[in-house]
Amino acid sequence: MKLGSRALLPLLLLSAPFSAAMEPISMGIAVGVATALTGLLSTFPALYCRLQECCQAHWVELNFTGLNMDLEDKLFGQHIAKQVVLKAVRGFLMNPNPKKPLALSLHGWTGTGKNLISKIIAESIYRKGLESDYVHQFVSTLHFPHPEYLSQYKEQLQKWIRGNVTLCGRSMFIFDEMDKMQAGLIDAIKPYLDYYDNIDGVVYRKALFIFLSNAGGERITEITLDFWKKGSKREDIHLKDLESKVSIGVFNNKKSGFWHTSLIDKNLIDYFVPFLPLEYKHVKLCVREELKMRGYEDDEQIMTEIADEMTYFPENEKIYSDKGCKTVATKLDFYL
């Protein structure tokens, strides 16, 4: 067993070599100093955690008001994602004894808000947001680029999750580019998402797993466009209209990291969250938010010009931005 510094100091002072070489008075002073230092060190974790990040409420705690406000003010055109994330995250974080980790799979075209909502979730739970030591991001093309190393990646991924959840049970893991991940890799984390009280003494039930993927974007767009053609409002689309179609689609997509995965087969993904394609009005809102983040007032001319620069589809109707809001920040640089 490894001894901590608080236990080690008195033992060193009272050990035979030390005590034999010291006078009784000096020995008494040394013991007194050791006792005082031990008392000081016993309060050190509390002091340390006031200054440095720890897996405690001061650093890791849901700010529901902040989550609600950020979803309302920064995420545009995604009424389904807002509703699902708000309820799912709040319900999970408020449950003192969840049966399994929370697993959210976010699907939609690029630039529709998947990374943004991951950032918002992290910032609402962790005081340091994405910079927290307890938030871990994986990008498939960066962290798992070589198909021939599949076995090694699986082993490394399991060790990484096990080690970090051991340090903080309320860890968050974000897997980006699931549509580019090699099939079979994500199955390595299946035990950690399942309904186990603990695995080898480690409790995973309070961890959060978020998966981001462009897969399913085409089907989501088809259904969204069908609603538009029928004259229905965008807000009339509900989760039930999309969720099962998205989950089945990615499960059967051989180019997806979710292809025939046990995570879907065993119903371990709690929600498949669809991100709808963004319209012209949403692009303008993205420009306005970017201006606000940079300390500028609303500028209708800039908002309109940038929205006009975007390309839209389908070819005839030109309703949806083909890049969502992804290039808004770069385009804004040109105008400022």
Side-chain angles (χ1 to χ4, degrees):
M1 182 177 70
K2 184 168 67 176
L3 290 171
S5 60
R6 280 171 280 181
L8 187 58
L9 181 59
L11 288 176
L12 283 173
L13 289 172
L14 294 174
S15 63
F18 281 92
S19 59
M22 299 180 72
E23 296 292 332
I25 294 177
S26 300
M27 184 65 178
I29 294 173
V31 172
V33 171
T35 303
L37 287 173
T38 301
L40 178 62
L41 288 171
S42 67
T43 63
F44 182 75
L47 176 61
Y48 178 85
C49 289
R50 290 181 65 86
L51 303 174
Q52 296 292 328
E53 185 181 30
C54 292
C55 189
Q56 297 181 3
H58 179 68
W59 295 95
V60 183
E61 188 174 29
L62 176 62
N63 177 0
F64 180 72
T65 302
L67 174 62
N68 193 15
M69 289 180 60
D70 282 349
L71 288 175
E72 190 63 34
D73 296 342
K74 299 179 180 179
L75 186 68
F76 307 116
Q78 305 298 351
H79 65 283
I80 299 175
K82 287 180 182 179
Q83 294 167 3
V84 173
V85 166
L86 199 61
K87 292 180 179 179
V89 172
R90 183 183 186 184
F92 179 71
L93 270 292
M94 296 299 288
N95 184 352
N97 189 31
K99 300 297 183 184
K100 65 177 291 296
L102 178 64
L104 303 175
S105 191
L106 316 183
H107 297 266
W109 287 135
T110 184
T112 51
K114 301 185 299 297
N115 279 289
L116 173 61
I117 210 168
S118 300
K119 179 174 182 288
I120 290 173
I121 294 172
E123 291 175 345
S124 72
I125 300 173
Y126 305 91
R127 194 164 181 174
K128 295 179 69 175
L130 291 175
E131 299 303 314
S132 170
D133 289 339
Y134 311 124
V135 177
H136 312 279
Q137 296 178 278
F138 301 92
V139 180
S140 295
T141 53
L142 176 64
H143 295 103
F144 317 112
H146 305 294
E148 63 270 24
Y149 296 144
L150 178 60
S151 297
Q152 292 94 317
Y153 290 153
K154 284 185 174 183
E155 183 179 354
Q156 291 169 0
L157 188 54
Q158 288 179 335
K159 287 181 178 178
W160 182 259
I161 292 176
R162 182 168 56 251
N164 282 287
V165 174
T166 300
L167 291 174
C168 182
R170 186 68 82 192
S171 292
M172 176 186 288
F173 301 92
I174 302 171
F175 293 85
D176 199 359
E177 297 184 348
M178 281 299 301
D179 49 305
K180 297 179 177 65
M181 180 181 286
Q182 52 190 299
L185 174 56
I186 203 62
D187 286 292
I189 72 169
K190 185 262 182 187
Y192 309 134
L193 269 69
D194 216 328
Y195 291 82
Y196 295 118
D197 185 62
N198 70 80
I199 301 176
D200 295 330
V202 181
V203 177
Y204 297 87
R205 292 178 285 110
K206 292 187 176 182
L208 299 89
F209 292 81
I210 301 178
F211 306 96
L212 283 60
S213 177
N214 289 349
E218 185 174 348
R219 189 73 179 108
I220 292 169
T221 298
E222 289 175 0
I223 294 172
T224 306
L225 186 59
D226 284 343
F227 269 76
W228 180 84
K229 289 180 177 179
K230 293 174 183 176
S232 299
K233 294 188 298 182
R234 182 187 185 91
E235 290 70 26
D236 291 336
I237 306 174
H238 299 288
L239 181 63
K240 64 182 181 181
D241 298 314
L242 291 163
E243 187 173 29
S244 63
K245 297 178 178 64
V246 171
S247 64
I248 293 172
V250 297
F251 183 76
N252 291 317
N253 184 347
K254 291 185 178 181
K255 296 181 179 180
S256 167
F258 280 131
W259 182 64
H260 286 189
T261 176
S262 58
L263 271 62
I264 297 178
D265 188 44
K266 301 300 182 182
N267 299 308
L268 298 179
I269 304 294
D270 297 298
Y271 295 96
F272 289 87
V273 186
F275 282 69
L276 310 183
L278 298 182
E279 301 174 11
Y280 181 89
K281 62 183 179 181
H282 302 128
V283 175
K284 291 185 68 175
L285 291 173
C286 289
V287 179
R288 186 182 69 179
E289 178 61 22
E290 186 66 26
L291 283 167
K292 179 181 175 181
M293 288 176 59
R294 300 191 190 190
Y296 293 93
E297 298 291 331
D298 291 358
D299 189 315
E300 184 64 31
Q301 182 178 349
I302 291 179
M303 291 163 58
T304 300
E305 289 186 14
I306 291 179
D308 287 345
E309 283 186 23
M310 297 292 194
T311 53
Y312 297 85
F313 71 96
E315 185 175 354
N316 294 325
E317 294 88 348
K318 297 188 183 303
I319 307 168
Y320 307 119
S321 169
D322 63 359
K323 294 184 179 67
C325 286
K326 193 173 184 70
T327 59
V328 161
T330 304
K331 289 183 179 295
L332 184 58
D333 291 338
F334 179 79
Y335 291 90
L336 298 180

